[in-house]
Amino acid sequence: MDNCIFCKIIKKEIPKDFNYESENLVVFPDINPSADLHLLIVPKMHIGGIGEIGEEQTKLLGEIYAIVNKLVLENKLTDDAYRVVVNGGKAQHVPHLHFHLLGGQWKKFI
Ligand code: DGP
């Protein structure tokens, strides 16, 4: 999608270090963190949001949660607090599906 900020990051038109990259998704830190750890897990395919998820995304969603588990372990969050958030409707500001992984101390509500 031409005007999508996350598509530009994925295509490396905007430089960004990825914490993780696979064929189907990337992980990078949120520019405006709401917790000690605030990562965005973003599918490479442009999916506008939750409302565009269909059965054809079942495998992708499994991969996303498998990566969440890997990030939780890497960041030693298993015995700490963590949360996965997907905003939709007016709560969603970037119209490209993404999963927030928030870990540790909360700074603000997202
Ligand atoms: P949401 O409200 O769920 O759509 O959250 C969008 C998040 O994306 C918000 O927490 C800030 C983050 N964000 C927006 N633009 C950029 C960017 O250019 N780089 C990074 N790293 N994060 C961004």
Side-chain angles (χ1 to χ4, degrees), residues 43-56:
K44 286 185 175 175
M45 176 193 287
H46 184 90
I47 299 167
I50 297 174
E52 292 182 18
I53 293 176
E55 283 185 16
E56 57 288 9

Side-chain angles (χ1 to χ4, degrees), residues 5-6 9 14 16 28-34 38 40 85-88 91-96 98 100 110:
I5 186 91
F6 285 178
I9 289 173
I14 297 174
K16 178 79 67 188
F28 54 85
D30 194 290
I31 203 167
N32 186 17
S34 298
H38 188 167
L40 299 173
V85 174
V86 187
N87 289 321
Q92 181 184 359
H93 299 97
V94 176
H96 180 129
H98 54 281
H100 299 256
I110 63 159

Side-chain angles (χ1 to χ4, degrees), residues 2-14:
D2 281 356
N3 243 345
C4 170
I5 186 91
F6 285 178
C7 285
K8 288 182 180 168
I9 289 173
I10 289 159
K11 284 190 265 172
K12 301 186 196 292
E13 289 171 15
I14 297 174

Side-chain angles (χ1 to χ4, degrees), residues 18-109:
F18 295 145
N19 301 61
Y20 178 84
E21 179 173 13
S22 75
E23 191 188 337
N24 300 313
L25 58 87
V26 296
V27 178
F28 54 85
D30 194 290
I31 203 167
N32 186 17
S34 298
D36 289 340
L37 179 81
H38 188 167
L39 297 174
L40 299 173
I41 298 111
V42 186
K44 286 185 175 175
M45 176 193 287
H46 184 90
I47 299 167
I50 297 174
E52 292 182 18
I53 293 176
E55 283 185 16
E56 57 288 9
Q57 272 83 45
T58 303
K59 192 161 171 261
L60 175 67
L61 293 177
E63 185 182 345
I64 286 169
Y65 278 96
I67 292 311
V68 165
N69 283 337
K70 178 178 149 62
L71 295 166
V72 164
L73 289 172
E74 276 178 10
N75 289 282
K76 301 186 172 35
L77 291 173
T78 309
D79 295 324
D80 202 340
Y82 63 92
R83 187 180 284 176
V84 179
V85 174
V86 187
N87 289 321
K90 289 180 180 161
Q92 181 184 359
H93 299 97
V94 176
H96 180 129
L97 180 68
H98 54 281
F99 293 67
H100 299 256
L101 172 60
L102 299 139
Q105 199 70 36
W106 263 235
K107 298 181 203 300
K108 54 186 160 51
F109 183 75

